[in-house]
Amino acid sequence: MPPARTKPEVHSPRASLHIGASPEAAWENVVRQWFEKIAPRGLHDRQPAAVVTASRNQAYFFRSRLLAEGKSLMAVKFLSPPQLRELLLRRCDLPVPLREHLRLLLGVTAEQFASSSSDDETVLVAKSIAREPDRFLRAIDQLRAAGWTLDEIDSPALRELAARFEEQVRECGFTFVHDADRVVLAAAQKFQPLFRDLLVFGFDAAHWPLWPLLHAATLSSAETCVVLRDPRDDARNLDETWIGTWEETFGPAEVIPPMNGRATTSLTGALPVPASDVHFVIGRDTTQQARAIVAVVAKFLADASCERLGILFSGPGALPRLVATFLQAAGIAHNDGIAYFAPSAFDDHAWRAWLELQQAPRLKPLFRFLRATDWQIFDGVSVLQIEETLRRCYNNVLVDNIELLRDYCASSPDLRHGSVVARELEKIQFLPASAALTEFLTHTRAIFAVLDWTERWNEVERLSRNWRDRLSTRFSKNSYLRWLRELLGAPSLERDNLGAHSYARVHLVACADAQDQPWSHLIFAGLNDETWPAFEDELAFVRDEQIEELNRQNTTLNRRASKRGRQGEGHWSVRQGKTLLLGPNEQRQIRRRQFLNLVESVSAGMGVSASLYSEATPSRIANPSEFFSWLYFNAHARGVSQQTLHSLEEQTRDWLKDWSPVDAQKIDSISVGRTRYAFDARRQLRPAGEYEFALRSPPDEEKSLRVTQWEQALRWPAIVWMEIFLGVTPDDGDSDAWAVATGQWVHRWLADSVGNGGDRKFVDVNRAEQIRERISKHARELRERVAALCANRSKRLPDWWRSGWSNALYIADCLAAKVCDLHDWSAMGVEWPLKEPTLIPLSENQTLRVRGRIDLILARRKSKESRIGYEDLWVIDYKTGRQRGFKLKELRRNDTPKRKFHKQLIDGRGVQLALYALAVHALGADDVQLTLLSPAEQLEPQFRLADVLAQKNFWSDVHRMQETGVFGMLGPIHADFGFVGKYPLATLPIDTDLLEEKWALTHPAFVLEEEGQAK
């Protein structure tokens, strides 16, 4: 170990240290005098005076005090630590990389390490770091900031990975930020002072990583004044070491005389204000808590003693955002030190869609990208035609890879727009799976040029210009896309219009940023155990015991020195070139000390808020934090129970009543009134009106629905109504693609096996024996074609595709086998399309319009009078899933076939087949039997035309829906179990029992009659 330092630094005689327990005392006795001293010479000195504060809020406090006293701030620079570092680095010309660059380099190194290692566990760890490098990078940063090497990491593999990473960073010409701080420190003694006067304020043991930077800044000033905070019992060792290191380096600190002689607060001490001035509010949720906080703010602002009011949060989140929004609505000017993240100018829907498409070049990301971009990519074909063609291709092959679909389009001459779509898709370029950085950038430049993203490319080129040629290693596209996403998508902090007043009385700040300032009032917001206090992520890859041992080694030297230190024996300080590591235990001590310092800084009143229920689990009571319990005990001399929380929540609700911060905001009363009227109308027991998926007047043009839409309209009428009259459909991203593809394959194979499918022609039923053989042939052709597409792109036909194809072939063969056993029917028609639309006369004045395609029609008894050519028909609808057929003969006691069939219809079962029966009856068929056929069902008639015609009231109500456009709403919007239709537009839920009653009033024929009335 090096010997203890006994000689002062070069500029140490020009540095004065001051230590005190009160920020008010520090202002009166040190800071104000410092500003008064530099004010006369501020405009004459060539070198500026600077103030370095730990947080911007401390600088705002100084500015507001000086402006209130009429003192000049000319020629005084207020600097944050990053700004200070930027100034000092200008003299050393050290390229410090962006965090985005470091994450890319670490990800690249981890990928290399994983590919070259043979140990399975090491490979898994390396791949994990490659996917998410930030956590390991923070561990490296913290170790380097403390002056330790990466040898302190236990895992040899991780040590080697970290060493390779550092080598990669040096090869790219970068310097780690904490290494740069130490270089600046070493060079500070060689340069002329950068500042004439420097004030360092607000730094303590929570800022150990900044010690080399602050040390260098002190040496870079002709005269420096450093204000330190007196240690307290909590985190005493950490703070004494911090102060001791300053004193060991620059000499003894002068004690600042206290303002009122008040001692520091302890966990058992009294509060600095009377209990009557401590207000506890509890909200049931985040919104109510935010309302209560703003109400307390209004109460405090009405107090004549309110000079500075701080609202403290654990960090960014929903609560500070809501509080800022409510303050804006209430017209209260404030300084929002938390702010909120706003996307960058480059981070729009098109950019995110492009990244997703490059990450996964598949169909749905392609559609999202085409819809999001406003650049004309294709010539001679619309985006809708592209989507329609690609959807047909996907349904044919069930492969959504863009390259395979493009090849399929090019090789399918019978596909409408196929060749055009294949040609236009060539314009969409994709990045290679792996490449060097320069190669990736070359491809990116070409793609951005096509998309007219010049600004994006200029930004990427600017940030990679000086080092891209030095990264010659090939790495994955995923790492490159993550780098691009972070580089161009970095969010910025924004505030509301009334939230950017740095000299306002109200301040929204994080707990750490509110230190070392006097406050007349403080509100501790969100004091729940799950959110407060917020600790930084624990130091990954280094154990807590190891952190404690490393810190002990740093502080052992001066305690056991054989020579006296500058401040005597028993003096705590760190070794030269080292700092302390802040693990979870150290952070906990610092947070406790910060909290007590804040409580001590209050002079007039305090507010304390928490939420009754957990934000993560709304059904669970959220425990108050230790700080909440401590404040409540010191204010009321009793502990906090769940009963206490419920009582506080009830008191808060009674206090707020109907008050809302937005009452002070001008709002459109007409719009609000209409919205409220619509909200109430949907919840009144009456037939569906214009606010409930119903038209005010009949539609101007005739609407014809598909038979499947009518079946869905009985289950989810609101969704079908939005599709028909608004033209919006839910995103089917979560639908079962296999079920859809299996159904389409089976139907197509059966149709192709007949040869006349879709032509409205009947063929001889004797050809049915050939159906099974042809189905197998068509299925094999599909498999071979898809396998060839994959082989041409050096891909293998996936096992899951083979399995699904085998299942579809089995289902098709089962259905064909059932048809082949029929010998008493003379003709058959497959995939029989109805006319667009088919008119179904229900009565003299009622005509239903439908569209659709019948899977299979068996026919006999030719008739010239029938437009369909036969009198006797059997309509069969294939179902490839597990749908059950209709068994009207199996009745419960006191039930009838008519009533049972009515129940199935109003449940949305059998509507499709029944409409087919009415359609062929309108074409001249007199005797129609119907069957819903699945692989598990026997082919036998399930109901007949007479059963359908008997439901006159039902079809009359269906016709009324068609003519009036009055559908209504039925069923839940969300369900924990089971399937419900997905709504394409945001829709507020309504009680399902009320919906059923309104449904009965709107559509009386869709309600099951009582058993006694059915007889």
Side-chain angles (χ1 to χ4, degrees):
M1 294 183 179
R5 291 167 289 182
T6 58
K7 295 182 179 181
E9 301 286 358
V10 175
H11 299 301
S12 58
R14 303 176 186 174
S16 60
L17 308 183
H18 305 269
I19 184 171
S22 164
E24 191 69 44
W27 166 259
E28 292 294 338
N29 297 298
V30 178
V31 178
R32 172 187 280 163
Q33 297 176 11
W34 185 86
F35 280 105
E36 291 175 348
K37 182 185 72 171
I38 67 168
R41 62 191 190 199
L43 297 178
H44 304 290
D45 290 338
R46 298 182 59 186
Q47 296 168 318
V51 179
V52 181
T53 56
S55 70
R56 291 184 181 273
N57 223 66
Q58 293 168 345
Y60 295 152
F61 164 64
F62 290 158
R63 288 172 180 268
S64 61
R65 279 289 179 94
L66 292 171
L67 290 176
E69 296 178 5
K71 295 182 178 179
S72 173
L73 295 173
M74 295 291 291
V76 179
K77 291 185 177 181
F78 287 86
L79 302 174
S80 63
Q83 293 170 327
L84 174 64
R85 179 179 289 114
E86 183 180 356
L87 281 176
L88 296 179
L89 285 176
R90 290 177 183 175
R91 304 196 295 182
C92 297
D93 193 24
L94 290 175
V96 175
L98 297 175
R99 296 291 294 179
E100 292 83 356
H101 298 346
L102 289 177
R103 282 192 285 266
L104 172 64
L105 295 177
L106 181 55
V108 171
T109 306
E111 287 182 1
Q112 278 186 300
F113 194 76
S115 62
S116 61
S117 177
S118 58
D119 181 66
D120 293 340
E121 183 177 353
T122 301
V123 169
L124 291 176
V125 173
K127 287 183 177 180
S128 174
I129 293 175
R131 284 192 298 268
E132 186 54 53
D134 194 63
R135 191 170 180 82
F136 189 49
L137 181 59
R138 284 200 302 269
I140 294 175
D141 282 342
Q142 289 173 287
L143 283 171
R144 296 192 67 87
W148 295 101
T149 66
L150 303 174
D151 295 336
E152 309 306 327
I153 300 177
D154 290 336
S155 170
L158 289 179
R159 287 201 300 269
E160 183 181 353
L161 174 60
R164 291 188 187 182
F165 166 62
E166 288 194 330
E167 182 181 354
Q168 183 76 74
V169 172
R170 287 193 296 270
E171 289 177 358
C172 291
F174 292 136
T175 303
F176 286 100
V177 62
H178 298 297
D179 290 344
D181 289 347
R182 289 182 171 86
V183 172
V184 169
L185 174 59
Q189 304 178 43
K190 304 175 183 178
F191 294 105
Q192 289 296 320
L194 185 62
F195 307 107
R196 177 65 182 87
D197 293 277
L198 180 68
L199 174 63
V200 179
F201 185 90
F203 296 92
D204 53 33
H207 305 96
W208 267 113
L210 297 177
W211 162 243
L213 177 65
L214 298 176
H215 188 180
T218 305
L219 297 180
S220 300
S221 176
E223 295 184 15
T224 303
C225 177
V226 182
V227 180
L228 304 171
R229 184 68 182 257
D230 196 24
R232 62 187 314 130
D233 292 340
D234 303 277
R236 177 171 291 278
N237 290 341
L238 296 171
D239 286 327
E240 284 185 345
T241 306
W242 175 261
I243 295 171
T245 302
W246 278 98
E247 290 188 323
E248 181 69 17
T249 307
F250 297 108
E254 298 180 12
V255 177
I256 303 173
M259 292 290 294
N260 49 18
R262 183 175 58 188
T264 57
T265 307
S266 65
L267 277 176
T268 57
L271 297 177
V273 295
S276 59
D277 293 329
V278 182
H279 305 273
F280 293 86
V281 291
I282 296 289
R284 292 184 65 85
D285 52 25
T286 305
T287 302
Q288 186 179 4
Q289 185 184 176
R291 288 179 56 219
I293 291 172
V294 176
V296 175
V297 169
K299 179 180 178 64
F300 285 164
L301 290 176
D303 188 349
S305 63
C306 183
E307 297 180 355
R308 295 188 81 235
L309 192 162
I311 310 175
L312 307 184
F313 301 93
S314 60
L319 183 59
R321 184 72 192 101
L322 280 173
V323 170
T325 301
F326 287 158
L327 289 174
Q328 169 80 16
I332 299 176
H334 59 283
N335 173 44
D336 188 359
I338 303 292
Y340 63 92
F341 287 115
S344 72
F346 303 123
D347 190 12
D348 55 17
H349 292 298
W351 170 246
R352 290 191 293 271
W354 181 84
L355 288 172
E356 184 185 7
L357 176 61
Q358 293 293 332
Q359 190 88 33
R362 302 188 180 280
L363 203 58
K364 291 174 184 175
L366 174 63
F367 291 163
R368 279 192 282 269
F369 171 68
L370 295 179
R371 294 166 188 166
T373 183
D374 55 357
W375 184 249
Q376 184 64 36
I377 302 176
F378 305 124
D379 298 325
V381 62
S382 66
V383 172
L384 291 178
Q385 289 175 326
I386 294 280
E387 288 192 17
E388 181 183 354
T389 303
L390 290 178
R391 287 186 191 278
R392 288 203 304 269
C393 294
Y394 173 70
N395 292 333
N396 289 342
V397 298
L398 200 66
V399 175
D400 62 351
N401 182 275
I402 300 301
E403 293 180 337
L404 297 182
L405 289 176
R406 184 172 57 203
D407 295 344
Y408 182 82
C409 288
S411 62
S412 302
D414 56 334
L415 184 65
R416 186 182 179 186
H417 305 303
S419 58
V420 177
V421 169
R423 183 184 68 249
E424 296 299 326
L425 285 179
E426 293 287 348
K427 297 179 180 179
I428 298 180
Q429 305 175 43
F430 294 97
L431 297 170
S434 64
L437 180 58
T438 54
E439 185 179 350
F440 272 130
L441 291 173
T442 301
H443 284 281
T444 303
R445 182 176 185 177
I447 295 173
F448 284 9
V450 173
L451 298 174
D452 196 28
W453 286 353
T454 306
E455 294 82 2
R456 287 186 174 89
W457 168 250
N458 291 339
E459 184 70 5
V460 172
E461 198 274 337
R462 180 183 69 84
L463 296 175
S464 62
R465 177 185 304 145
N466 298 326
W467 61 279
R468 59 188 176 191
D469 295 330
R470 302 180 183 181
L471 184 59
S472 58
T473 306
R474 297 181 67 86
F475 56 95
S476 70
K477 178 175 63 175
N478 290 341
S479 295
Y480 177 73
L481 290 174
R482 182 181 63 236
W483 176 68
L484 276 184
R485 182 183 297 109
E486 294 173 353
L487 208 61
L488 297 180
S492 58
L493 290 176
E494 289 193 5
R495 298 166 177 82
D496 296 325
N497 294 334
L498 291 180
H501 294 264
S502 56
Y503 300 119
R505 287 190 293 171
V506 181
H507 296 262
L508 278 65
V509 291
C511 176
D513 295 335
Q515 301 293 310
D516 297 312
Q517 306 162 58
W519 299 95
S520 62
H521 296 77
L522 276 181
I523 299 176
F524 296 89
L527 285 188
N528 286 103
D529 206 22
E530 59 187 13
T531 57
W532 189 295
F535 296 132
E536 298 177 4
D537 292 337
E538 63 181 68
L539 184 55
F541 309 100
V542 182
R543 293 175 287 106
D544 291 349
E545 299 82 3
Q546 196 172 3
I547 294 174
E548 185 177 350
E549 175 59 24
L550 293 175
N551 288 339
R552 189 192 63 79
Q553 293 178 28
N554 273 355
T555 58
T556 300
L557 174 64
N558 290 307
R559 297 183 68 192
R560 300 180 179 177
S562 57
K563 298 181 180 180
R564 291 173 58 89
R566 296 188 61 186
Q567 310 311 312
E569 298 170 349
H571 175 64
W572 290 65
S573 65
V574 297
R575 293 167 51 193
Q576 188 171 5
K578 302 288 185 180
T579 66
L580 296 187
L581 277 170
L582 300 180
N585 294 332
E586 290 76 14
Q587 291 184 42
R588 189 172 293 106
Q589 296 175 29
I590 290 172
R591 291 292 186 271
R592 183 184 294 255
R593 183 255 294 158
Q594 289 176 342
F595 175 80
L596 295 177
N597 284 343
L598 287 170
V599 172
E600 192 178 50
S601 67
V602 178
S603 60
M606 284 193 297
V608 185
S609 79
S611 182
L612 180 61
Y613 292 104
S614 169
E615 186 175 351
T617 311
S619 60
R620 182 175 63 84
I621 297 291
N623 292 327
S625 69
E626 176 190 355
F627 298 152
F628 184 100
S629 301
W630 178 79
L631 287 169
Y632 190 84
F633 181 82
N634 279 274
H636 299 285
R638 62 178 182 270
V640 179
S641 63
Q642 286 195 4
Q643 183 178 359
T644 305
L645 295 176
H646 281 283
S647 177
L648 288 173
E649 189 276 329
E650 185 177 353
Q651 294 174 17
T652 302
R653 192 164 9 99
D654 293 340
W655 178 53
L656 292 175
K657 294 184 179 178
D658 294 331
W659 177 85
S660 174
V662 299
D663 291 343
Q665 185 184 34
K666 290 184 178 180
I667 54 178
D668 187 349
S669 59
I670 297 178
S671 297
V672 172
R674 289 174 176 172
T675 303
R676 183 68 195 189
Y677 180 82
F679 182 89
D680 293 337
R682 295 182 63 205
R683 287 155 182 81
Q684 293 177 1
L685 185 56
R686 63 183 187 185
E690 58 184 304
Y691 301 109
E692 301 164 275
F693 308 99
L695 298 181
R696 181 183 299 176
S697 58
D700 295 333
E701 58 178 326
E702 294 182 345
K703 297 290 184 180
S704 60
L705 278 66
R706 299 189 305 273
V707 291
T708 52
Q709 287 178 318
W710 277 122
E711 189 160 286
Q712 294 170 357
L714 274 299
R715 302 174 184 174
W716 309 294
I719 298 177
V720 177
W721 186 90
M722 285 189 277
E723 179 181 358
I724 298 301
F725 296 102
L726 301 184
V728 293
T729 56
D731 183 10
D732 59 351
D734 299 329
S735 63
D736 188 355
W738 265 120
V740 175
T742 299
Q744 292 185 346
W745 286 352
V746 170
H747 283 73
R748 187 168 68 248
W749 293 340
L750 288 170
D752 292 344
S753 65
V754 174
N756 291 321
D759 293 338
R760 290 198 187 96
K761 293 182 181 180
F762 286 94
V763 298
D764 192 348
V765 79
N766 293 329
R767 297 171 54 184
E769 296 295 338
Q770 305 172 3
I771 291 179
R772 298 179 68 180
E773 181 180 348
R774 292 179 180 177
I775 286 176
S776 179
K777 176 185 175 183
H778 291 306
R780 287 195 305 269
E781 289 176 352
L782 173 64
R783 183 189 62 187
E784 292 169 0
R785 184 174 184 183
V786 176
L789 290 174
C790 294
N792 291 336
R793 292 289 180 176
S794 300
K795 300 178 185 294
R796 180 176 174 272
L797 189 62
D799 292 337
W800 56 263
W801 194 96
R802 296 175 182 271
S803 175
W805 172 85
S806 299
N807 180 60
L809 177 57
Y810 167 77
I811 293 174
D813 186 68
C814 287
L815 296 176
K818 299 178 188 299
V819 176
C820 291
D821 292 337
L822 300 176
H823 301 288
D824 53 348
W825 293 85
S826 59
M828 61 186 299
V830 179
E831 294 295 313
W832 185 282
L834 300 177
K835 289 184 177 181
E836 298 278 348
T838 294
L839 303 180
I840 302 176
L842 301 177
S843 67
E844 207 175 300
N845 301 320
Q846 294 179 337
T847 301
L848 199 61
R849 299 178 294 272
V850 298
R851 295 177 288 123
R853 183 185 296 267
I854 303 175
D855 292 344
L856 174 63
I857 301 179
L858 298 176
R860 60 188 177 189
R861 291 172 53 196
K862 284 188 176 183
S863 173
K864 294 181 180 181
E865 298 178 358
S866 173
R867 282 181 290 167
I868 203 171
Y870 295 87
E871 294 182 358
D872 192 357
L873 299 180
W874 190 354
V875 176
I876 300 173
D877 186 35
Y878 302 133
K879 295 298 179 184
T880 57
R882 298 181 179 180
Q883 292 95 328
R884 294 177 299 166
F886 304 97
K887 299 180 181 179
L888 301 184
K889 296 180 181 180
E890 296 180 3
L891 303 175
R892 295 181 179 179
R893 188 176 61 179
N894 298 329
D895 205 354
T896 64
K898 180 179 178 181
R899 184 175 185 275
K900 183 174 182 179
F901 188 52
H902 184 212
K903 181 179 185 303
Q904 291 176 336
L905 289 176
I906 63 178
D907 288 341
R909 296 186 64 237
V911 176
Q912 181 179 355
L913 266 176
L915 287 172
Y916 286 152
L918 293 177
V920 297
H921 178 58
L923 295 176
D926 293 332
D927 188 5
V928 184
Q929 52 191 11
L930 303 107
T931 298
L932 188 148
L933 181 61
S934 65
E937 297 282 345
Q938 296 296 323
L939 182 55
E940 58 184 9
Q942 295 173 354
F943 62 96
R944 308 186 73 87
L945 176 63
D947 298 316
V948 178
L949 295 175
Q951 304 292 332
K952 292 183 179 180
N953 292 337
F954 178 87
W955 301 118
S956 178
D957 222 335
V958 169
H959 175 265
R960 188 164 60 86
M961 290 177 67
Q962 170 189 275
E963 296 302 313
T964 62
V966 176
F967 279 47
M969 185 177 178
L970 189 64
I973 291 181
H974 306 287
D976 295 333
F977 306 97
F979 173 79
V980 296
K982 186 175 181 181
Y983 280 68
L985 299 177
T987 306
L988 292 177
I990 298 178
D991 182 72
T992 54
D993 292 336
L994 176 60
L995 287 177
E996 290 181 1
E997 295 182 30
K998 292 172 69 69
W999 181 256
L1001 294 175
T1002 308
H1003 306 290
F1006 296 164
V1007 179
L1008 188 65
E1009 59 187 0
E1010 298 296 333
E1011 292 186 0
Q1013 299 175 354
K1015 294 181 181 180

